[in-house]
Amino acid sequence: MRKRILSFIMGMLMMGANVALASDVYITQSGASFTANINQDGQTNRYGVSGTVATHTGDNQTLDIDQIGNSNTIAASVVGATQTLTLRQAGNSNTSTVSVGANSSADDNSIVQTLTGSSNTTTVNVGNSAASGDADVDIVATGNSNTITVNENSTATMQSNDKKVSSVTAIGSSNTITTTHAGAGDHDTTLHHTGSSGTFAITQDGIHDTSVVLTTVGAGHSVTITVDD
């Protein structure tokens, strides 16, 4: 009997070596100085989903999320100041939606995202129309037909060296990239694109202190840049 049980266990382990099962992670957390390192390998993994996002509330949060495989999902909301979010998705047809400071202060936040693969969609929302402060969003996408949206909604007045920064690098074809800054001061957007059929839209809104640096290589771009006083 023990040999039969052992043979069954070994057979299941061998099957598991060839099949990567999906994993679901849902976190509701509050409190300062939280650190999480999430690694998900395989298909259709989820770190939160639309309508049931992973929620983190508190200052000084550090999140590092890695998803390897196709059709994975990140849906997270972070509330508080001094956040560091590092997100990586490698594979095709992955989606991510990250909101930082949707309902309260969101000063001194850094969001770094790396996408590798095709037909991926990522959206980063920072702040609402009244609450946020400075933020640094850095996204690098390599692959075809990726869609990137960055909404930085702060109307806070920047002081000293504080800035609202968006940097997007997209290497591939048929990309659609939209970045938006709202509010009083110091907006910086840098877009590096390599490929064809880009379609970019960049909006920098009031008051002064604005910079847009755009580098493109390829054909078929349609670029719209709007800067308000």
Side-chain angles (χ1 to χ4, degrees), residues 49-107:
V49 293
S50 178
T52 311
V53 299
T55 303
H56 302 272
T57 303
D59 296 342
N60 301 304
Q61 308 237 24
T62 301
L63 302 179
D64 191 326
I65 304 171
D66 292 83
Q67 292 182 329
I68 310 300
N70 300 328
S71 301
N72 295 312
T73 300
I74 296 174
S77 176
V78 181
V79 177
T82 318
Q83 316 291 355
T84 300
L85 313 181
T86 303
L87 313 175
R88 302 182 188 89
Q89 289 180 311
N92 301 326
S93 302
N94 295 310
T95 64
S96 69
T97 302
V98 178
S99 297
V100 179
N103 299 308
S104 65
S105 174
D107 293 333

Side-chain angles (χ1 to χ4, degrees), residues 72-219:
N72 295 312
T73 300
I74 296 174
S77 176
V78 181
V79 177
T82 318
Q83 316 291 355
T84 300
L85 313 181
T86 303
L87 313 175
R88 302 182 188 89
Q89 289 180 311
N92 301 326
S93 302
N94 295 310
T95 64
S96 69
T97 302
V98 178
S99 297
V100 179
N103 299 308
S104 65
S105 174
D107 293 333
D108 300 318
N109 291 296
S110 174
I111 301 99
V112 179
Q113 186 161 9
T114 304
L115 306 171
T116 305
S118 299
S119 301
N120 297 311
T121 300
T122 185
T123 302
V124 176
N125 299 312
V126 179
N128 57 32
S129 61
S132 293
D134 58 314
D136 190 342
V137 180
D138 192 335
I139 299 175
V140 177
T142 303
N144 298 323
S145 302
N146 294 312
T147 300
I148 299 168
T149 303
V150 179
N151 297 313
E152 188 282 303
N153 299 308
S154 172
T155 58
T157 300
M158 295 294 92
Q159 299 178 353
S160 187
N161 294 322
D162 292 338
K163 290 187 176 184
K164 305 165 187 177
V165 180
S166 297
S167 176
V168 177
T169 299
I171 302 173
S173 60
S174 303
N175 297 300
T176 300
I177 301 168
T178 303
T179 71
T180 301
H181 289 284
D186 196 327
H187 311 125
D188 286 359
T189 298
T190 301
L191 174 58
H192 300 278
H193 172 263
T194 302
S196 60
S197 305
T199 308
F200 317 124
I202 299 173
T203 301
Q204 314 267 100
D205 187 11
I207 290 176
H208 312 309
D209 296 320
T210 191
S211 172
V212 177
V213 178
L214 177 64
T215 303
T216 64
V217 178

